[in-house]
Amino acid sequence: MEVSVRRTTLRLLATFRSSRLAYDSTDTCIVTIVHGGVEGRGEGTPAWAHGETVEEVIEAVAGEGAEILGPDLSDPDEVLDRVAEWKAPVGARMALDGAVHDWLGRNAGQPTWRLFGVPRTLAQPTGYTIGIASVEETLEVVANAPDVGAFKMKVRSAEDLDRLVAVRAVTSRPIRIDANEAWSFETARDLTPRLRDLDIQLIEQPFLAGAVGNYRRYRELPDRLPVFLDESCTDVASVHAAQGLADGVVVKLAKSGGVRATRRVMEAARQLGLSVMLSCNCESELALSQAALLAPLADRIDIDSQFLLRDPPFRGLGLDQGRIVLGDAPGLGVVAAQEERPAVEAGPGSNAGS
């Protein structure tokens, strides 16, 4: 089993802003495994919200990745369980898990989604995220947006109401909002009637993850918005904690650590009657194709970072009437957009990275 890892930088078409941060590029990790002459690639995004760094992801994969995978992939379920339970950065688990899923498809000469019985065209239309900007800039983004099924607008305060009003005036598509923990209970209470008037579909993470009392108080309001937890929900235990606080959860590979671990989170949420939104961080089409393997378990899809990237390193995803269409290449379905840089061999004493 050969394992290598490298850093790659994803550059955005424009600076993206939320209530939490602003950025125009982000780093991710690409892991390549080779077994039996067949290659598999996976992407792992550091869980930045929990303080993870690219360097930590690279160090974990370089130092322990080959040992965690084992000598062969004859029992992929056992391998994927080991990866999911590995005490390593989330990004490292996500990348190894993705590489195994890519290898499985390539080894069979088929797209992995076909092996897993996932429809090539996802059943639910995807959302499209719009960062915080002026009213004019926001309307320009809406006018140039791909043909998606919904808009998700980042918000910070009552000052964003003008943006929501302007967007609702030009589109009948569903609008979801995401405060990224920026609101107080009073802000949510005071804005809810206006948001209802604008037919806002739901709100993601209005309050701090630890502000349990605010979530309980908001649930008691008449005619409140449905609440989905994002930052609060990372694993099965946090899904159980979400019961009684929210109507749904937002799941991401970069929070839970890959397809296998995220599947467990989604299954737990569904068993508890919580709605599930499958989402992403700023990732390439390689990572998004990993996430898409879980689409049948999702009630809503928010796989959209491919629309935000300049010179994406992988290509293969399509869009049909708002629905993501998966690539047909063997493995995860995507191909490298250009020749990749040489990777660094990962093993004991390796100094992987770039």
Side-chain angles (χ1 to χ4, degrees):
M1 180 76 66
E2 300 175 25
V3 181
S4 56
V5 57
R6 65 179 176 86
R7 174 203 305 253
T8 192
T9 298
L10 305 177
R11 304 192 186 282
L12 279 64
L13 293 166
T15 300
F16 185 88
R17 293 180 175 84
S18 70
S19 66
R20 187 188 299 275
L21 61 118
Y23 59 96
D24 56 17
S25 68
T26 187
D27 286 346
T28 187
C29 295
I30 306 298
V31 166
T32 301
I33 64 174
V34 180
H35 175 60
V38 177
E39 182 181 279
R41 285 182 293 203
E43 182 174 344
T45 308
W48 54 263
H50 302 287
E52 281 188 11
T53 66
V54 171
E55 289 75 19
E56 289 171 337
V57 173
I58 289 174
E59 182 180 2
V61 174
E64 303 177 39
E67 179 183 353
I68 292 298
L69 291 178
D72 61 60
L73 299 175
S74 58
D75 189 342
D77 279 328
E78 180 180 326
V79 172
L80 289 169
D81 281 340
R82 269 201 312 273
V83 172
E85 293 156 12
W86 181 25
K87 302 301 182 184
V90 171
R93 289 184 274 130
M94 174 182 169
L96 275 192
D97 175 279
V100 172
H101 281 92
D102 189 44
W103 185 92
L104 291 172
R106 289 175 182 248
N107 189 55
Q110 298 187 52
T112 307
W113 52 262
R114 185 174 295 153
L115 296 181
F116 280 66
V118 176
R120 184 177 183 186
T121 300
L122 304 188
Q124 301 296 332
T126 187
Y128 178 73
T129 306
I130 301 173
I132 294 174
S134 68
V135 171
E136 293 75 16
E137 291 168 330
T138 299
L139 289 176
E140 183 177 359
V141 171
V142 170
N144 294 306
D147 183 22
V148 294
F151 291 120
K152 181 171 79 175
M153 296 181 59
K154 295 287 188 177
V155 295
R156 180 169 41 215
S157 67
E159 294 177 1
D160 292 296
L161 198 58
D162 288 345
R163 296 172 53 236
L164 296 173
V165 170
V167 172
R168 174 51 74 218
V170 299
T171 183
S172 60
R173 289 174 179 158
I175 299 175
R176 308 161 184 165
I177 58 175
D178 184 1
N180 290 113
E181 302 184 285
W183 283 6
S184 65
F185 169 76
E186 290 74 18
T187 298
R189 179 195 61 200
D190 294 346
L191 287 180
T192 291
R194 296 294 307 278
L195 298 174
R196 278 295 189 189
D197 290 343
L198 294 171
D199 197 25
I200 301 302
Q201 187 180 70
L202 60 86
I203 180 169
E204 289 185 33
Q205 200 75 38
F207 316 120
L208 290 169
V212 173
N214 284 346
Y215 288 99
R216 288 180 174 151
R217 291 174 69 193
Y218 188 72
R219 286 184 70 80
E220 296 173 358
L221 293 181
D223 205 28
R224 64 174 176 83
L225 289 177
V227 171
F228 278 59
L229 297 185
D230 183 356
E231 286 87 345
S232 297
C233 182
T234 59
D235 55 19
V236 171
S238 58
V239 167
H240 283 272
Q243 192 177 28
L245 301 180
D247 305 280
V249 295
V250 180
V251 299
K252 301 173 182 176
L253 302 191
K255 292 194 299 179
S256 302
V259 176
R260 178 58 57 98
T262 306
R263 178 182 294 276
R264 295 172 181 172
V265 173
M266 297 174 80
E267 289 173 343
R270 295 181 69 87
Q271 289 171 2
L272 292 172
L274 293 168
S275 185
V276 177
M277 181 188 299
L278 178 62
S279 189
C280 61
N281 284 346
C282 184
E283 298 158 352
S284 83
E285 293 186 30
L286 180 62
L288 302 183
S289 297
Q290 295 165 207
L293 297 175
L294 295 170
L297 291 174
D299 302 296
R300 292 179 173 86
I301 300 291
D302 189 22
I303 295 178
D304 64 342
S305 62
Q306 71 273 34
F307 305 124
L308 307 179
L309 299 184
R310 183 190 307 275
D311 301 322
F314 296 93
R315 296 184 184 275
L317 296 181
L319 192 66
D320 180 22
Q321 297 182 345
R323 292 167 171 79
I324 299 293
V325 181
L326 303 179
D328 61 358
L332 290 170
V334 297
V335 296
Q338 58 188 12
E339 187 66 26
E340 298 181 26
R341 295 177 295 173
V344 180
E345 290 301 320
S350 171
N351 293 311
S354 61

